[in-house]
């Protein structure tokens, strides 16, 4: 389950990066894209953290950033 959630945050970051490369973001939506990319970085860092409790905290932060980023993108578009 943990890997699936990490993959989902990484997928959100890849999509946000792709949208930036194709020129989708405006100045009002760019911070939300950046937050989405940060969620992917945190999702990737769950593979580096070896202790179970800190890994859970990093994964929770990644999910929160992904939800905030995607919600911000949809609300400002």
């Amino acid at each position: 389950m943990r890997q699936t959630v990490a993959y989902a945050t990484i997928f959100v970051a890849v999509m946000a990066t792709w949208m930036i490369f194709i020129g989708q973001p405006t100045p009002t939506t760019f911070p939300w894209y950046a937050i989405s990319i940060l969620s992917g970085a945190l999702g990737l860092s769950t593979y580096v953290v070896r202790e179970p409790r800190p890994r859970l905290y990093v994964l929770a932060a990644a999910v929160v950033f992904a939800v905030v980023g995607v919600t911000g993108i949809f609300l400002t578009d």
Side-chain angles (χ1 to χ4, degrees):
M1 177 74 174
R2 191 177 322 153
Q3 283 184 339
T4 305
V5 174
Y7 289 150
T9 60
I10 294 166
F11 178 75
V12 167
V14 167
M15 290 290 103
T17 305
W18 176 253
M19 295 300 241
I20 288 174
F21 280 132
I22 65 171
Q24 181 71 24
T26 61
T28 58
T29 60
F30 187 76
W32 304 113
Y33 282 99
I35 290 172
S36 297
I37 293 170
L38 181 63
S39 76
L42 286 173
L44 277 174
S45 69
T46 59
Y47 293 104
V48 178
V49 178
R50 294 293 176 199
E51 295 297 319
R53 182 66 64 173
R55 185 186 306 167
L56 183 65
Y57 292 147
V58 170
L59 187 60
V63 169
V64 167
F65 279 135
V67 168
V68 167
V70 170
T71 304
I73 290 169
F74 282 122
L75 289 178
T76 56
D77 253 353

